[in-house]
Amino acid sequence: PEGKSSQYLSSLLLVAPYADKKAELTVEGEVFSRPYVEMTLAVMAAFGIWCEVAPGMNHFRIPQGCYRGTRYQIEGDASGASYFWAAAAVTGGKVNVANVPVPSLQGDAQLVPLLERMGCEVERCKGGITVQGPEQLVGIEVDMGNMPDVAPTLAVVAAFAEGTTVINNIAHLRIKECDRLAVMVSELRKMGADIEEEEDRMIIHGQAGGANLHGADIETFEDHRIAMCFAVAGLGVPGVKVHGEECVAKSFPDFWERFEGMLG
């Protein structure tokens, strides 16, 4: 496969043990979202299939065989958790998300150290990760090539941070459920954000507490991630209205109830 989406590669890896002969996969170009591929390989190994992997993770040899049944503890969804950690960051509140082990297999759990760099206090324990928002967030520069699903979340947080945040290496955001890079720029601009779009990065010129932001009607483009990250924006600015909010059903059907429960 061509190296554009780790999801395609993961699907091929998962079914490869059932091929008519020993399978080999070669990725042309860069392997994006590499932690997701590593997680796929770890899960396959837990169920009895060990793959041979080249150092650059662009060539795989997968043995023939059958997965074997086992007991497996599934981690909490770090991508879904990101909106709750971001809520803490934007509001200066404190949120604990359970069942996200430290370390986590999921690349999206690496959003937490980024929030820490922006000024949040983080507490890691066996039962989960707690984020405490600061009095004032600060902008950072970061490469999010390995965690594109939480790049929109960080973009929202950056709009409430003092200074410039640069989110690099995110061209593959353009081939998700929508062109997330372009949509985040357009919808944050509706709220008054000073944000630049380039082919593979976003540059957000934030003001402390989102002083330049205001309410707006937000289009989700039927993308669950867009809906959930603008829920976070609505915590910091009154008058944010998210249209097509039911699209969260793709990954988090009870998101709105959980989000409201956090506020209660």
Side-chain angles (χ1 to χ4, degrees):
E2 186 177 351
K4 287 187 177 180
S5 172
S6 66
Q7 295 174 347
Y8 183 47
L9 175 56
S10 288
S11 67
L12 291 173
L13 287 168
L14 287 167
V15 301
Y18 297 101
D20 289 339
K21 59 183 179 180
K22 185 176 179 179
E24 293 193 30
L25 294 174
T26 300
V27 179
E28 296 180 359
E30 182 181 353
V31 178
F32 290 103
S33 306
R34 183 168 171 163
Y36 285 106
V37 182
E38 293 171 343
M39 182 164 54
T40 300
L41 295 170
V43 171
M44 291 173 69
F47 285 85
I49 298 292
W50 286 268
C51 302
E52 297 177 46
V53 186
M57 199 167 272
N58 60 359
H59 188 79
F60 305 82
R61 291 188 178 93
I62 306 97
Q64 289 177 287
C66 295
Y67 294 109
R68 65 163 187 258
T70 189
R71 294 182 65 87
Y72 187 84
Q73 177 66 37
I74 299 173
E75 293 184 13
D77 179 11
S79 309
S82 74
Y83 310 105
F84 297 86
W85 290 321
V90 164
T91 63
K94 185 175 184 178
V95 175
N96 172 263
V97 179
N99 192 29
V100 181
V102 180
S104 168
L105 288 172
Q106 300 173 77
D108 285 357
Q110 291 305 306
L111 174 70
V112 173
L114 301 184
L115 295 177
E116 200 167 16
R117 285 175 55 195
M118 297 179 83
C120 295
E121 293 181 15
V122 174
E123 186 178 335
R124 300 169 177 85
C125 59
K126 188 176 181 180
I129 301 175
T130 300
V131 172
Q132 168 72 60
E135 288 187 17
Q136 180 175 300
L137 294 158
V138 294
I140 60 172
E141 182 164 359
V142 63
D143 183 326
M144 298 192 79
N146 280 336
M147 42 179 155
D149 281 353
V150 291
T153 316
L154 189 75
V156 167
V157 175
F160 291 86
E162 180 65 31
T164 298
T165 293
V166 183
I167 304 176
N168 293 304
N169 198 20
I170 52 171
H172 46 316
L173 276 186
R174 298 188 184 279
I175 57 169
K176 300 293 184 177
E177 283 82 342
C178 67
D179 181 342
R180 287 180 181 162
L181 202 164
V183 167
M184 287 306 301
V185 169
S186 69
E187 302 310 293
L188 280 170
R189 279 179 179 161
K190 286 182 182 178
M191 295 180 60
D194 182 0
I195 181 169
E196 301 173 47
E197 175 187 353
E198 297 184 3
E199 182 58 33
D200 65 347
R201 68 176 182 167
M202 275 186 278
I203 304 170
I204 304 105
H205 304 285
Q207 293 186 18
N212 58 329
L213 303 180
H214 52 73
D217 287 88
I218 302 300
E219 297 298 332
T220 60
F221 297 86
E222 300 183 357
D223 189 329
H224 54 141
R225 302 264 170 238
I226 302 298
M228 290 186 279
C229 71
F230 277 98
V232 174
L235 295 179
V237 176
V240 174
K241 186 174 182 180
V242 178
H243 294 270
E245 73 283 356
E246 66 278 357
C247 63
V248 300
K250 177 169 185 177
S251 64
F252 202 154
D254 60 347
F255 170 79
W256 298 107
E257 292 78 11
R258 296 277 185 171
F259 208 69
E260 186 177 6
M262 173 188 65
L263 303 176

